[in-house]
Amino acid sequence: MRYLSQRLLQFSIVFFIVTFGVMVLMRLGLNAPGDPARTMLGGTVSQEMIDQISKQYHLNSNLIVQYWYWLKGIVWSQDFGYSVQQNISVATYMRPKILVTFFLGIYALTWGLIIAVPIAVYQAYKRDSNFDKAGNFFSFFFISVPALVFSPFIIYVFVMKLGWFPRIGEKIYPWDNFGEHFRNFFLPVVVLSLPTAAVFVRLLRADMIATLQSDFITLARAKGVSPQRTLWSHALRNSLFSVLTSVGVQIGSLVGGALVVEQYFNMKGMGFLLISTILSKDLFVVQSLSAILVASVVFANLGIDLLYTVIDPRIRHARALV
Amino acid sequence: MSTEDNSAFLEVVNIKTHFETPRGVVRAVDDVSFSLTRGRSLGIVGESGSGKTILVRSIMGLLPKRGTLREGAVMYRGENLINKTPAEMRGTWGREMAMIFQDPMTSLNPLMKVGKQIAEPLMSHLGMEKATAWATAEKLLHDVHIAEAQRRLSQYPHELSGGMRQRVMIAIALACGPSILFADEPTTALDVTVQAQILELINEQRRQRNMSLLLVTHDLGVVAGNTDEIAVMYGGKLVEKAPTKTLFAEMKMPYTHALLESIPKLNHAAHTRLATISGRPPDLVHPPKGCRFAPRCHFARDRCHSEEPPLTAGKSPDHVYACFYPVGSAEYSERKVEISRS
């Protein structure tokens, strides 16, 4: 449990640094009283309006106090603040965008793994075979081709030429209409998951090759364990660590990397929202979005950390001791 | 020792194992022959790089296919194993031939419970149900003298000491009742106090189960009391082979002699300089032309550098050695006198 409290402390520190940093950065140059409110409201607005918003959200107090009220709002009443520009609560404004990115990310990671694991395992097993060479070529290919190039190509082929998939329509949730949801997400997920899979393939293949040379693999063979079992139950589990670690790293970059895909496929996700609110200086939205980003990345990595203990008894026992 | 089955049931004939490397072909094992009868034990002794581990893995067919050339014959119960595919060998591995590895720290799967690692071959070879396999595994742990076998089954390798891990490895090797046990430096990675126990355990189990044993080691002392016969390897070749007693009494090869000399003796005075074999093991990509030991041999003459000595029979039965000027020959004694003078 000391381990968990350590991780929570880490999380709090990172969370504070990022969200407070974002707050400070977003308000650079907005020093005079009323400046933040004026910026948030945009355009020409009356002084009373500015005063009222300033007062309501404590915008004229110092940053620590403002930060405190914002944090308190989130923790006590799940209130992320109010988007004055959109005239809705930040939570309502963010929710559909976050869901879009959430689905994109989950699907991309899941499919990345589903595609990568068998390919990498078989590549390592049949090292230097034609299959291995093809695997290496394609993984390099998909790592190298940016979404910027890949997305329009895919749109051109599958949307414009073949017409298999719709161009627009992110607002379909799986619980509303799964078929539509699938059709809407398929292409963007392809664009996101192939490079993700390519990274996993490279990492897992390298680890598998190293593991396959270990003594305990030779022992498994010398016992007469079947190659399939040797591969999947002895070697794979011992080779998962780099891939798992990179899943944690990818979660952060998928949210960022999804931006291009969101643009091309006209899906309004977190990346889209972040950029547009930074530009329009919708302070509360930017701040809350960063908070959610930080929290999801940190918690995802915490989850992955816990997965290590599931996979490796040595880590489990070492942690039980501290 | 069984008398009813006394034929050589493992016969290794002119086995060669070469590896293709960027530097050239490594002749790790070059033309080695020997045979092993049921229930008997053979020690293979040599320095690091003498090819002894490769020999064992080559006999079992456990080497990676890529870049490996194997020639000769491995006759096991009248069947040649050398050209069998890994798929064909699977029934032999673990069931007929089992192997104990050098380093128990790295040879057990760190992420798998000990019980499962022992039960695995039982389930795949003998078709046992999981429960039966685990019960058998517990019995095996008992056989290798591990206390609290039940509890150990559900532990992971890192929770066991080195000696205990080696016992687990022996239990794995014994699981399916193999008839040949290959032990590759089984005690090298262990504490000295544990070494003797492990050797004793291996021998005890060998006798009880009437297995043949091939014990590979760099330590002449390890094989001395533990095997019926000793084969000495140098540079991928077999250079001397004899029943244990004969070898120690009549060793012919200067290399064997040097190996023996390099073991510190209790009756040496304190601070006696340890006898070593100067030089390095031969480069097996470009091995010396004549006798492979010649460049390091104090007793080598011109002939040794140009001509390869064949295996010659010694006076005692079953004794062979490869040397032109063996220990005890006139030339050997002459050179010995010269050395002691200088």
Side-chain angles (χ1 to χ4, degrees):
Chain A
M1 280 308 95
R2 214 184 102 193
Y3 164 74
L4 213 63
S5 50
Q6 255 175 12
R7 293 302 303 245
L8 283 176
L9 183 70
Q10 266 179 20
F11 164 69
S12 316
I13 295 170
V14 173
F15 183 84
F16 173 77
I17 292 174
V18 173
T19 49
F20 193 71
V22 165
M23 182 169 183
V24 171
L25 284 173
M26 286 302 292
R27 283 160 208 228
L28 283 179
L30 306 177
N31 300 322
D35 273 1
R38 192 174 294 117
T39 314
M40 270 169 73
L41 288 164
T44 43
V45 277
S46 65
Q47 189 62 38
E48 295 102 80
M49 186 79 167
I50 290 170
D51 289 343
Q52 191 217 324
I53 295 290
S54 296
K55 191 160 171 269
Q56 192 177 347
Y57 295 106
H58 314 275
L59 291 176
N60 289 337
S61 334
N62 72 41
L63 283 177
I64 306 279
V65 175
Q66 287 189 38
Y67 186 79
W68 167 249
Y69 277 112
W70 170 78
L71 193 64
K72 194 179 127 191
I74 292 179
V75 177
W76 260 260
S77 41
Q78 288 77 51
D79 177 10
F80 288 85
Y82 198 79
S83 168
V84 199
Q85 289 172 12
Q86 304 295 325
N87 205 17
I88 42 173
S89 78
V90 172
T92 319
Y93 188 31
M94 287 192 311
R95 190 171 171 272
K97 274 84 177 174
I98 291 174
L99 275 175
V100 166
T101 302
F102 171 79
F103 284 124
L104 277 179
I106 288 286
Y107 294 158
L109 278 178
T110 314
W111 280 104
L113 284 172
I114 291 175
I115 297 166
V117 171
I119 291 177
V121 168
Y122 199 68
Q123 266 190 276
Y125 181 54
K126 295 277 176 201
R127 198 177 155 196
D128 291 344
S129 65
N130 286 335
F131 180 84
D132 186 29
K133 284 172 190 154
N136 279 340
F137 172 78
F138 281 109
S139 54
F140 264 129
F141 181 78
F142 284 114
I143 288 174
S144 318
V145 176
L148 210 61
V149 176
F150 199 22
S151 307
F153 171 77
I154 279 225
I155 290 173
Y156 178 76
V157 174
F158 291 98
V159 178
M160 292 163 77
K161 282 285 159 197
L162 296 170
W164 290 357
F165 293 95
R167 179 76 197 269
I168 309 170
E170 88 279 9
K171 282 184 186 127
I172 307 244
Y173 301 130
W175 45 83
D176 289 341
N177 182 337
F178 189 79
E180 278 302 299
H181 173 77
F182 179 84
R183 274 163 56 81
N184 277 324
F185 275 82
F186 189 85
L187 290 182
V189 166
V190 166
V191 174
L192 281 175
S193 61
L194 286 179
T196 311
V199 173
F200 292 158
V201 163
R202 298 216 61 83
L203 289 171
L204 186 57
R205 175 183 174 271
D207 279 11
M208 278 292 289
I209 285 173
T211 307
L212 285 174
Q213 283 159 359
S214 328
D215 286 345
F216 66 83
I217 293 298
T218 315
L219 177 69
R221 295 183 63 215
K223 287 199 286 194
V225 174
S226 74
Q228 292 304 320
R229 230 189 119 78
T230 311
L231 219 48
W232 294 99
S233 115
H234 285 268
L236 179 59
R237 196 168 163 187
N238 276 283
S239 311
L240 281 176
F241 299 97
S242 304
V243 167
L244 265 187
T245 311
S246 86
V247 168
V249 178
Q250 296 270 339
I251 285 171
S253 68
L254 266 178
V255 175
L259 178 67
V260 172
V261 175
E262 284 172 14
Q263 289 292 331
Y264 270 110
F265 290 91
N266 209 3
M267 307 177 98
K268 292 192 171 59
M270 275 170 100
F272 163 82
L273 185 61
L274 199 55
I275 297 286
S276 60
T277 50
I278 287 173
L279 292 177
S280 66
K281 302 245 173 191
D282 206 338
L283 302 184
F284 285 128
V285 183
V286 176
Q287 204 167 328
S288 300
L289 264 181
S290 342
I292 283 168
L293 269 176
V294 178
S296 52
V297 170
V298 173
F299 277 111
N301 278 285
L302 183 69
I304 281 162
D305 237 57
L306 293 172
L307 266 183
Y308 288 148
T309 64
V310 172
I311 292 180
D312 194 335
R314 290 167 297 184
I315 300 178
R316 182 154 71 236
H317 295 152
R319 282 190 187 157
L321 291 177
V322 290
Chain B
M1 245 120 295
S2 69
T3 43
E4 75 272 26
D5 185 8
N6 220 3
S7 57
F9 83 139
L10 176 72
E11 203 163 1
V12 175
V13 190
N14 302 108
I15 194 169
K16 286 183 186 174
T17 308
H18 297 175
F19 298 108
E20 281 165 11
T21 68
R23 280 182 58 230
V25 176
V26 178
R27 296 156 205 278
V29 175
D30 215 356
D31 222 354
V32 170
S33 304
F34 65 84
S35 62
L36 197 59
T37 43
R38 172 115 212 189
R40 304 276 289 175
S41 55
L42 170 68
I44 296 183
V45 191
E47 286 170 283
S48 323
S50 60
K52 51 197 195 309
T53 297
I54 301 296
L55 173 66
V56 169
R57 295 202 177 187
S58 189
I59 293 170
M60 274 190 89
L62 278 172
L63 293 167
K65 283 177 302 219
R66 292 172 349 115
T68 310
L69 279 149
R70 283 161 82 221
E71 266 175 43
V74 176
M75 302 300 293
Y76 174 72
R77 292 193 159 151
E79 215 184 342
N80 192 354
L81 304 182
I82 197 111
N83 289 323
K84 287 201 170 186
T85 62
E88 290 166 332
M89 284 300 289
R90 272 222 297 129
T92 311
W93 287 337
R95 182 150 199 188
E96 303 286 336
M97 300 177 170
M99 188 160 167
I100 302 168
F101 289 70
Q102 173 170 354
D103 189 352
M105 303 295 164
T106 58
S107 305
L108 295 172
N109 185 342
L111 307 187
M112 199 181 266
K113 283 179 182 167
V114 162
K116 193 173 177 192
Q117 301 196 43
I118 306 175
E120 247 186 344
L122 291 169
M123 288 159 77
S124 65
H125 283 312
L126 309 181
M128 284 187 188
E129 294 291 314
K130 197 181 164 200
T132 332
W134 277 68
T136 315
E138 191 184 335
K139 210 193 133 288
L140 281 160
L141 282 188
H142 210 72
D143 288 348
V144 296
H145 310 301
I146 287 185
E148 301 177 88
Q150 170 93 53
R151 188 168 69 90
R152 299 297 183 195
L153 283 178
S154 49
Q155 286 189 316
Y156 291 92
H158 73 273
E159 296 172 87
L160 309 179
S161 68
M164 225 183 301
R165 286 187 224 187
Q166 197 59 304
R167 284 170 196 273
V168 168
M169 187 119 69
I170 294 171
I172 292 174
L174 296 176
C176 298
S179 40
I180 306 180
L181 194 59
F182 295 89
D184 184 6
E185 303 255 12
T187 58
T188 308
L190 302 174
D191 287 347
V192 183
T193 45
V194 184
Q195 288 188 2
Q197 295 170 13
I198 294 293
L199 285 171
E200 201 185 293
L201 173 67
I202 291 175
N203 256 317
E204 167 201 297
Q205 292 297 323
R206 176 180 69 81
R207 278 191 300 270
Q208 278 177 16
R209 293 163 194 259
N210 191 25
M211 291 184 295
S212 303
L213 171 69
L214 207 92
L215 179 65
V216 172
T217 176
H218 64 272
D219 186 350
L220 209 47
V222 164
V223 283
N226 287 294
T227 59
D228 303 318
E229 271 188 304
I230 296 176
V232 181
M233 273 188 85
Y234 186 81
K237 295 244 173 208
L238 201 82
V239 293
E240 183 158 18
K241 182 173 158 288
T244 305
K245 271 191 188 138
T246 314
L247 187 91
F248 279 97
E250 305 170 21
M251 55 178 64
K252 290 290 180 198
M253 183 60 196
Y255 175 67
T256 315
H257 192 71
L259 266 186
L260 187 69
E261 289 295 302
S262 62
I263 302 173
K265 308 283 185 310
L266 270 179
N267 55 10
H268 279 169
H271 304 293
T272 302
R273 202 178 178 87
L274 190 64
T276 54
I277 306 173
S278 57
R280 297 162 153 274
D283 175 7
L284 295 178
V285 176
H286 308 287
K289 214 176 138 214
C291 170
R292 291 187 178 182
F293 186 55
R296 302 168 74 186
C297 183
H298 296 303
F299 305 95
R301 288 156 192 268
D302 290 347
R303 190 181 176 197
C304 304
H305 292 287
S306 56
E307 200 182 322
E308 203 179 308
L311 277 175
T312 326
K315 262 183 287 169
S316 306
D318 299 327
H319 184 184
V320 288
Y321 62 90
C323 186
F324 292 127
Y325 309 107
V327 178
S329 66
E331 289 90 342
Y332 182 90
S333 314
E334 186 189 305
R335 181 64 62 85
K336 190 145 193 184
V337 173
E338 284 169 27
I339 293 169
S340 64
R341 272 205 211 113
S342 58

